[in-house]
Amino acid sequence: MTENSKIAVFPGSFNPFTIGHANIVERGLKLFDHIIIAVGYNEHKPGGMDEALKRAASIASLYEDNEHVSVRSFKGLTVNFCRQAGASAILRGLRSSSDFDYEKNMADVNEEISGIPTLFLPCKPELSFVSSSMIRELEHNGYDVSKYIASERNCGKKL
Ligand code: ADP
């Protein structure tokens, strides 16, 4: 990363990090020099930080060969993390119009309080059903969800 690098923060819970998330990172790299995948946590939730650190470490292992991606965990406001990281934009994915309603409101608040814009990327149509909550629910009921969770096999070490 140089002083002039265009950096975006891709924030989320990533519980777990899915092939939909990986696709947003892959496509975001066509627009930014560097993407920081930022695993947010709530310090008031038991295990919040530990879980986020574990999740960040496992996502980082997917991108260890890619110097254009880094992975961090953070608490508090996304825009504060963006400022500390020197990011010029927040990156978010959109699966549906209901995602848009929620995301637009959050983007407006973030821009109002920080001046940092949010860039939305629509998800690939074939990934619009993939969500972390769907994966957790299927997994809880014994279904093999490995094809939806980003891994070295389906996300590619070098993007
Ligand atoms: P949060 O808890 O902040 O909603 P998530 O981890 O659920 O975070 O999602 C992080 C970001 O990834 C959000 O912008 C979400 O819309 C996007 N996203 C989630 N699933 C997909 C998908 N299948 N395709 C594209 N973007 C997605």
Side-chain angles (χ1 to χ4, degrees), residues 90-125:
I90 297 168
L91 182 62
R92 296 283 286 180
L94 291 179
R95 283 160 298 190
S96 61
S97 52
S98 57
D99 266 2
F100 177 77
D101 288 343
Y102 170 75
E103 294 287 346
K104 169 79 168 70
N105 185 263
M106 203 160 64
D108 288 345
V109 173
N110 283 333
E111 187 148 9
E112 166 71 18
I113 62 174
S114 70
I116 299 174
T118 297
L119 182 78
F120 298 130
L121 283 181
C123 84
K124 273 181 147 182

Side-chain angles (χ1 to χ4, degrees), residues 10-16 18 20-21 24 91-95 99 102-103 106 121-124 127-132:
F10 180 36
S13 317
F14 305 121
N15 181 22
T18 71
H21 295 136
I24 294 293
L91 182 62
R92 296 283 286 180
L94 291 179
R95 283 160 298 190
D99 266 2
Y102 170 75
E103 294 287 346
M106 203 160 64
L121 283 181
C123 84
K124 273 181 147 182
L127 296 180
S128 62
F129 70 93
V130 176
S131 71
S132 298

Side-chain angles (χ1 to χ4, degrees), residues 64-102:
E64 63 190 355
D65 293 340
N66 192 329
E67 58 182 346
H68 301 288
V69 179
S70 48
V71 186
R72 307 259 298 275
S73 60
F74 76 103
K75 63 179 177 180
L77 294 179
T78 302
V79 293
N80 287 345
F81 177 77
C82 289
R83 279 202 198 98
Q84 285 160 18
S88 55
I90 297 168
L91 182 62
R92 296 283 286 180
L94 291 179
R95 283 160 298 190
S96 61
S97 52
S98 57
D99 266 2
F100 177 77
D101 288 343
Y102 170 75

